[in-house]
């Protein structure tokens, strides 16, 4: 598969799973966490499709498209783990949707980080019923991994429902 084809498939999977997750939580109260602003593409998609929903963004260095920068009072700037701890104290267990896209391309290190560091740091922020969508495994205690569409690369994205 060409790199262009692979990129398109990855973006298509991301959009489909984000749309599915947003539909899943549409009738539930709660805030949204976006881990990894990047250039702001997925943040922009979330805010456009969930008007009125509070979206908190975690990013160590903002380099997004100028039109996709969250307001200061919705931005946790710094290392994601330190900022999740801060957010847990400030926001409590209110997240109904989490989208995490902080993998760094170093697959073994990303997988280890997701399992052992990111998953426990996320848990205090989750509301029962929360949907988690992540580019790396985040097996939060109390969460169930959900099936992905059959035509999707099983190792591109991971989806969970937090049962509480
Ligand atoms: C792949 S990009 C996110 C792309 C974004 N979803 C989009 O659609 O534009 C990953 C982002 O995560 C941020 N990031 C990675 N590791 C981080 C960490 N440990 N703490 C805070 N931010 C981190 C990087 O700075 C980068 O901007």
């Amino acid at each position: 598969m060409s790199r262009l084809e692979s990129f398109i498939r990855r973006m298509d999977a991301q959009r489909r799973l984000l749309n599915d997750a947003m539909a899943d939580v549409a009738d539930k109260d709660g805030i949204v966490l976006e881990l990894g602003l990047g250039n702001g593409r997925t943040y922009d998609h979330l805010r456009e499709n969930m008007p009125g929903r509070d979206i908190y963004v975690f990013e160590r260095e903002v380099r997004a498209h100028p039109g996709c920068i969250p307001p200061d009072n919705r931005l946790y700037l710094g290392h994601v783990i330190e900022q999740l701890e801060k957010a847990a104290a400030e926001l409590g267990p209110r997240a109904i949707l989490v989208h995490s896209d902080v993998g760094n391309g170093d697959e073994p290190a990303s997988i280890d980080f997701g399992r052992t560091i990111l998953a426990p740091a996320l848990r205090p922020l989750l509301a029962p019923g929360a949907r988690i969508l992540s580019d790396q495994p985040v097996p939060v205690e109390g969460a169930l991994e959900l099936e992905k569409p059959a035509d999707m690369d099983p190792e591109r994205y991971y989806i969970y429902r937090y049962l509480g």
Side-chain angles (χ1 to χ4, degrees), residues 3 15 30 38 43 52 72 79 81 89 98-99 105 110-111 123 128 136 139 143 149 152 156-158:
R3 292 187 62 199
R15 182 181 55 187
Y43 168 66
D72 286 350
H79 193 282
I81 300 301
V98 178
H99 174 234
S110 279
I111 289 174
R123 190 165 185 247
Q136 63 205 125
M152 206 171 274
R156 235 172 248 285
Y157 256 101
Y158 300 83

Side-chain angles (χ1 to χ4, degrees), residues 34 36-42 59-60 78-80 101-102:
E34 166 82 335
L37 177 65
N39 69 27
R41 273 192 300 247
T42 49
E59 174 57 60
R60 67 175 148 213
H79 193 282
V80 66
D101 191 14
V102 292

Side-chain angles (χ1 to χ4, degrees), residues 27-89:
D27 60 352
K28 297 175 184 155
D29 287 338
I31 59 176
V32 174
L33 309 183
E34 166 82 335
L35 313 188
L37 177 65
N39 69 27
R41 273 192 300 247
T42 49
Y43 168 66
D44 193 39
H45 193 67
L46 290 168
R47 73 177 175 178
E48 191 170 303
N49 288 283
M50 291 190 292
R53 189 77 87 160
D54 283 333
I55 306 175
Y56 291 86
V57 177
F58 295 74
E59 174 57 60
R60 67 175 148 213
E61 189 185 354
V62 172
R63 279 178 297 186
H65 182 281
C68 300
I69 296 176
D72 286 350
N73 65 356
R74 293 290 180 275
L75 179 64
Y76 281 94
L77 191 60
H79 193 282
V80 66
I81 300 301
E82 291 166 11
Q83 295 303 310
L84 283 171
E85 284 168 12
K86 186 171 177 232

Side-chain angles (χ1 to χ4, degrees), residues 31 33 35 58 80-81 83-85 87-89 91-98 100 113-132 138-144 160-164:
I31 59 176
L33 309 183
L35 313 188
F58 295 74
V80 66
I81 300 301
Q83 295 303 310
L84 283 171
E85 284 168 12
L91 305 173
R94 293 171 48 219
I96 197 66
L97 173 58
V98 178
S100 177
F113 175 77
R115 282 189 204 290
T116 63
I117 302 176
L118 184 55
L122 267 180
R123 190 165 185 247
L125 281 148
L126 300 175
R131 177 75 78 106
I132 307 165
V138 279
V140 175
E141 194 185 330
L144 187 70
Y160 303 85
R161 156 108 47 235
Y162 179 63
L163 303 175

